[in-house]
Amino acid sequence: MYKIKLSSGKYKFFDKYQGVDGKWRQVSCTMNSTSRESKKIAQNTLELKIKEKLGKNKSSSKLKKVTVNEVYAESSKIRKAELAETTFLNETYGLKDFIATFGERIISDIETLEMQEYLFSKEYSNKTRHTLKLRISKVFEYAYQMGITEFNIMDRVILPKDKKTLESIAKRNQKFFTLNEMRLLLNSMRKNAYDDEQLLFADCVEFLFLTGLRIGEAMALQWSHVDVLNATMYIEYSWNANLRKLGPTKNAQSIRYVFLNQRCLEILDRLRKRNLNSNFVFVKSNGFQISNQAINLYMKMEGARANLFGKDSSIFSAHMLRHSHITQMAALGVPQKALMERVGHSDSRITNNIYTHVLPESRQEMNLKLNNIVI
């Protein structure tokens, strides 16, 4: 160990060490004096720095052979165990391009700037970029936790926050149906239905609106889970359309009992008479469930025919019906906890921030109350 005096009056201590590559390097620290105590502290500090440097170099040299493919294969085992089957398949598909691009690379050699540029190299929406960043981050987080990398480089990737433009606000406000809009749409659907299958689709649309079920939950619904006497149904599964089999619900909170109003019971009675040979409620004449794509296409086509004022039928989807149901329940004053339980939400922020809108009926009620204010 040796030292030099700085112009500030302080002292800089140095020590040398030989790296794993055989080259000599040095570390340093600055102290206020050259007293015995200062020298001792400086010596300990320099020794710790050398140990840290040697430890990093040793780790880096050992980890150079670990590729993204290898890390992804191991991290996928964890993801598969903690995700629903459909969610895991979606995540795997979403990472397909990332793995094709970086799979053969040594993961510790990839830099933050590369990932920053990768996320902006394609015409992704801001929402898609955030989703992709989260998925890629799971891979790098596994590498970090296993000691393969020094940190999760995705933590340093910067993405723009969503900005609420007039266009995005208008689009968000279109993603639900009022009661009157739903009546008009269903009347048009049934008026223009040309066979039993078209009526089945119309019944499915109305049932989703009245219950708030996810499309997968509705397609997985079996007659054994419908209790007509107590006007309830038990939601235990979700239909995996890709694998054509029953799978788990989105989360544990999604396993629930759902109350059925009189109109739902009427729809179920009609469906039972139509599908006497199936264990499932919503099946077509060929015995197969209605797919999400089919119901979305049907809603777009029938929405264009109904021509609802101020609505863009090109964005109509089955999820809008769930969206609409929760909005209607919130407008009726249903307590938040009861609403979350009914629709299987695990996070109250989802219920508040995404689904609840101000309905025209609520605005009218507010205006009436404002007119009654007298000063």
Side-chain angles (χ1 to χ4, degrees):
M1 184 177 74
Y2 64 97
K3 66 180 185 300
I4 61 171
K5 187 174 183 179
L6 303 175
S7 58
S8 62
K10 295 182 178 182
Y11 294 85
K12 194 165 189 176
F13 290 82
F14 298 87
D15 203 354
K16 292 184 177 182
Y17 70 96
Q18 191 172 23
V20 293
D21 56 359
K23 293 182 180 179
W24 284 94
R25 295 179 175 82
Q26 69 178 16
V27 290
S28 63
C29 67
T30 302
M31 305 298 295
N32 291 325
S33 69
T34 57
S35 66
R36 182 182 300 176
E37 185 65 25
S38 293
K39 288 180 180 179
K40 187 176 180 180
I41 294 174
Q43 184 68 53
N44 290 336
T45 301
L46 295 175
E47 286 178 1
L48 285 173
K49 284 190 173 185
I50 291 171
K51 285 181 180 180
E52 183 181 356
K53 294 286 186 182
L54 289 173
K56 284 184 178 180
N57 289 336
K58 185 178 180 181
S59 175
S60 297
S61 64
K62 186 173 70 173
L63 299 171
K64 281 185 178 179
K65 297 179 181 179
V66 182
T67 66
V68 171
N69 278 333
E70 291 170 318
V71 174
Y72 176 63
E74 292 302 313
S75 65
S76 290
K77 295 176 184 177
I78 307 296
R79 297 297 287 163
K80 188 173 184 178
E82 64 188 8
L83 296 176
E85 192 171 18
T86 304
T87 307
F88 176 73
L89 289 173
N90 289 337
E91 183 171 289
T92 302
Y93 181 79
L95 287 170
K96 193 174 180 180
D97 184 76
F98 163 73
I99 295 301
T101 305
F102 294 94
E104 299 299 325
R105 293 278 304 278
I106 303 302
I107 195 166
S108 58
D109 289 345
I110 299 175
E111 298 181 356
T112 303
L113 183 60
E114 289 183 82
M115 298 314 304
Q116 181 83 27
E117 292 174 346
Y118 170 72
L119 289 173
F120 282 89
S121 64
K122 302 181 184 298
E123 294 298 321
Y124 292 137
S125 66
N126 201 32
K127 182 179 179 181
T128 300
R129 284 197 183 98
H130 278 275
T131 301
L132 184 55
K133 177 190 173 183
L134 181 62
R135 289 171 173 172
I136 295 173
S137 181
K138 297 292 182 182
V139 180
F140 281 96
E141 183 63 23
Y142 180 86
Y144 169 63
Q145 292 295 337
M146 294 298 104
I148 297 171
T149 58
E150 292 181 18
F151 58 92
N152 183 346
I153 66 170
M154 298 307 293
D155 290 340
R156 299 183 179 182
V157 170
I158 301 172
L159 295 181
K161 295 180 180 179
D162 286 321
K163 55 182 179 181
K164 292 184 178 180
T165 62
L166 291 175
E167 183 181 352
S168 66
I169 293 172
K171 187 175 180 180
R172 179 178 180 272
N173 289 337
Q174 284 216 29
K175 288 193 173 181
F176 72 96
F177 298 104
T178 65
L179 284 173
N180 188 53
E181 288 169 343
M182 201 68 232
R183 290 190 192 102
L184 292 172
L185 180 59
L186 287 168
N187 286 340
S188 176
M189 286 177 172
R190 292 197 165 96
K191 178 182 176 182
N192 294 291
Y194 51 83
D195 60 16
D196 280 348
E197 195 156 289
Q198 291 277 300
L199 289 172
L200 169 65
F201 274 63
D203 282 341
C204 180
V205 167
E206 185 172 1
F207 194 82
L208 291 173
F209 177 81
L210 293 172
T211 61
L213 294 186
R214 299 177 179 94
I215 183 67
E217 294 170 344
M219 294 308 108
L221 184 63
Q222 301 169 75
W223 290 113
S224 59
H225 286 160
V226 176
D227 185 348
V228 174
L229 290 178
N230 292 305
T232 58
M233 59 182 171
Y234 183 54
I235 304 303
E236 185 180 10
Y237 301 109
S238 183
W239 183 252
N240 188 321
N242 294 323
L243 302 177
R244 299 206 59 78
K245 67 176 186 178
L246 290 173
T249 54
K250 187 172 184 179
N251 50 54
Q253 287 74 19
S254 294
I255 300 174
R256 64 200 188 276
Y257 287 94
V258 178
F259 170 75
L260 299 164
N261 68 5
Q262 186 57 42
R263 179 56 183 162
C264 285
L265 294 175
E266 291 172 6
I267 292 172
L268 288 171
D269 184 57
R270 185 161 60 243
L271 292 177
R272 187 184 287 275
K273 292 173 182 176
R274 184 184 297 156
N275 301 313
L276 295 175
N277 300 320
S278 176
N279 294 326
F280 293 94
V281 175
F282 291 99
V283 289
K284 298 180 290 184
S285 57
N286 60 8
F288 293 117
Q289 277 87 347
I290 303 170
S291 69
N292 190 28
Q293 292 82 357
I295 201 74
N296 288 346
L297 179 61
Y298 172 74
M299 289 186 66
K300 288 175 172 59
M301 292 174 61
E302 292 301 320
R305 197 199 309 264
N307 193 25
L308 301 179
F309 178 76
K311 291 291 185 183
D312 179 6
S313 61
S314 68
I315 66 170
F316 286 7
S317 69
H319 198 68
M320 273 184 71
L321 301 169
R322 176 173 167 83
H323 206 150
S324 304
H325 177 80
I326 298 169
T327 303
Q328 292 290 341
M329 294 300 98
L332 290 172
V334 174
Q336 184 187 82
K337 189 172 181 179
L339 179 52
M340 289 176 63
E341 183 181 283
R342 178 171 174 81
V343 298
H345 274 169
S346 58
D347 191 340
S348 61
R349 290 175 298 179
I350 299 174
T351 315
N352 285 333
N353 298 338
I354 301 178
Y355 291 104
T356 54
H357 301 276
V358 179
L359 295 171
E361 296 89 341
S362 302
R363 290 195 188 96
Q364 291 171 8
E365 183 181 352
M366 178 185 68
N367 293 341
L368 287 172
K369 289 180 179 179
L370 285 171
N371 281 331
N372 291 328
I373 296 176
V374 179
I375 299 176

